[in-house]
Amino acid sequence: MPVYSMTGYASAQQSPGSAPAGTDGGKSATPSRLGLEIRSVNSRFLDLSFRLGEELRAHEPALRELITARIKRGKVEVRANVEGVGAETVREPTMGTLQRLGALQDTVKTWLPTAASLSVAEILRLASADETSTVDWTETLNQVAAQALKDLVAAREREGARLATMLLGHLEQLRALAAQAKPLVPQLVEQQRQRFLERWKEAMALSEGTATPEAAQDRALTEATAFAIRIDVAEELTRLAAHLDEIERLVKKGGEVGKRLDFLIQELHREANTLGSKSALLELTRISVDMKVLIEQMREQVQNIE
């Protein structure tokens, strides 16, 4: 199953009784067409908003059901309107429409004698609106919405594939950094033990034998061991490797993995921070910083995954 991004855009237009935009078909028999746009960005949950023309507002529940069946997360905005086509395709008003407009104008003039008469442009506009209001847009809207939603899902899938490739590449870089850090752990522990013992010996020499050598040495070894345990990062590297394996498994599995990936990225960041705070070697500090840079880049991208 692919990984889907929450970012995408798609649009579609169609006239009643005509083929969808981009396909072969004759000219529309009506002087209007329906246009629909869908935009989506990242969000913690599915957040739908609709901006529909007056003729289409009754169809919002059907659009909501259609979208929720395909999209699970993201802030999704749907815009749909009925638009008139160019003047070169304006059709002749029907006799019935002209009769209704004439009767309405006579009624208005009866009560408002000084009212201006309708112009030709106003008659054509009102006639076009009258024709549009009598069109049943249900089938056309369903076709346009289905096409736009299909294109949106495809766009989110393409973006998701790009994000998955980026994440897998960052995982390999993190594994390489962890491999660099692993041989430094025993070296760091032994180095700190030796340094601690040397300082204890210097302190005992300054104390001029007030403590027995055996007791001083035992205490030095105990303190050195406790300090070595505090700076040992082997456990952090083990947990970090486990998190990397789980992230790779989820990315390759695909589907709705965004929330789980976001949690694992937080765990990765915690281990990298601990690695840096325990570090007593400059090389380990550099590795920790490089890890955190990569993890932050992953965190920004994971927030776009559904």
Side-chain angles (χ1 to χ4, degrees):
M1 187 179 296
V3 171
Y4 291 97
S5 168
M6 286 186 282
T7 303
Y9 170 83
S11 65
Q13 300 83 32
Q14 187 176 334
S15 298
S18 68
T23 61
D24 292 334
K27 292 184 179 179
S28 172
T30 62
S32 56
R33 64 167 175 245
L34 188 152
L36 184 143
E37 293 182 344
I38 306 180
R39 304 172 186 268
S40 69
V41 295
N42 62 316
S43 176
R44 292 185 62 190
F45 308 101
L46 180 59
D47 180 9
L48 294 177
S49 63
F50 295 86
R51 297 189 178 184
L52 307 178
E54 188 67 32
E55 308 88 340
L56 307 174
R57 289 179 183 173
H59 300 283
E60 180 178 327
L63 289 174
R64 185 178 296 273
E65 182 178 356
L66 180 68
I67 293 171
T68 54
R70 297 291 303 274
I71 296 177
K72 304 304 178 184
R73 283 184 67 200
K75 181 177 177 59
V76 181
E77 180 182 347
V78 180
R79 294 172 178 261
N81 284 290
V82 176
E83 304 171 348
V85 298
E88 66 277 3
T89 59
V90 172
R91 305 181 70 85
E92 181 180 352
T94 63
M95 185 62 66
T97 299
L98 292 175
Q99 288 175 346
R100 283 195 299 274
L101 290 175
L104 288 171
Q105 178 174 256
D106 292 341
T107 301
V108 171
K109 282 185 170 293
T110 299
W111 293 96
L112 301 171
T114 60
S117 300
L118 290 172
S119 67
V120 173
E122 290 171 335
I123 292 173
L124 291 176
R125 178 175 56 81
L126 292 172
S128 176
D130 181 69
E131 287 187 28
T132 299
S133 64
T134 62
V135 175
D136 182 3
W137 293 99
T138 303
E139 183 179 355
T140 303
L141 180 62
N142 290 339
Q143 294 176 356
V144 169
Q147 182 61 49
L149 184 59
K150 179 181 177 182
D151 293 343
L152 177 70
V153 171
R156 286 163 60 115
E157 182 178 348
R158 289 192 299 271
E159 179 65 13
R162 187 188 69 80
L163 294 177
T165 300
M166 185 278 295
L167 289 175
L168 292 176
H170 279 38
L171 290 179
E172 291 305 312
Q173 295 181 59
L174 287 170
R175 287 194 176 101
L177 289 171
Q180 295 175 27
K182 190 172 182 179
L184 300 176
V185 175
Q187 173 188 340
L188 172 63
V189 172
E190 182 59 29
Q191 175 181 318
Q192 292 303 316
R193 283 170 60 92
Q194 292 299 324
R195 185 178 300 172
F196 204 87
L197 284 173
E198 290 173 2
R199 291 181 178 176
W200 261 101
K201 289 178 181 179
E202 293 174 0
M204 291 307 299
L206 293 174
S207 66
E208 297 180 353
T210 56
T212 61
E214 293 80 7
Q217 186 175 9
D218 290 343
R219 184 175 180 184
L221 288 172
T222 301
E223 294 291 337
T225 301
F227 184 72
I229 291 173
R230 288 199 300 271
I231 65 172
D232 188 359
V233 295
E235 185 177 350
E236 283 73 20
L237 291 175
T238 300
R239 287 198 296 265
L240 189 141
H243 295 328
L244 294 178
D245 291 342
E246 180 63 10
I247 291 174
E248 182 176 6
R249 186 188 71 81
L250 289 175
V251 171
K252 290 183 176 179
K253 172 188 173 184
E256 300 167 33
V257 296
K259 290 184 178 180
R260 295 188 65 184
L261 287 174
D262 189 48
F263 171 76
L264 288 170
I265 292 298
Q266 294 179 35
E267 294 300 305
L268 276 183
H269 200 274
R270 181 178 292 111
E271 301 303 337
N273 270 333
T274 306
L275 180 67
S277 64
K278 282 187 172 185
S279 173
L281 284 179
L282 182 60
E283 182 63 17
L284 270 180
T285 301
R286 181 194 64 79
I287 290 174
S288 172
V289 171
D290 289 346
M291 282 184 171
K292 286 190 282 188
V293 171
L294 288 171
I295 292 169
E296 181 62 23
Q297 292 174 356
M298 293 172 68
R299 185 189 67 80
E300 292 176 358
Q301 300 303 325
V302 161
Q303 290 180 347
N304 289 322
I305 293 179
E306 185 177 44

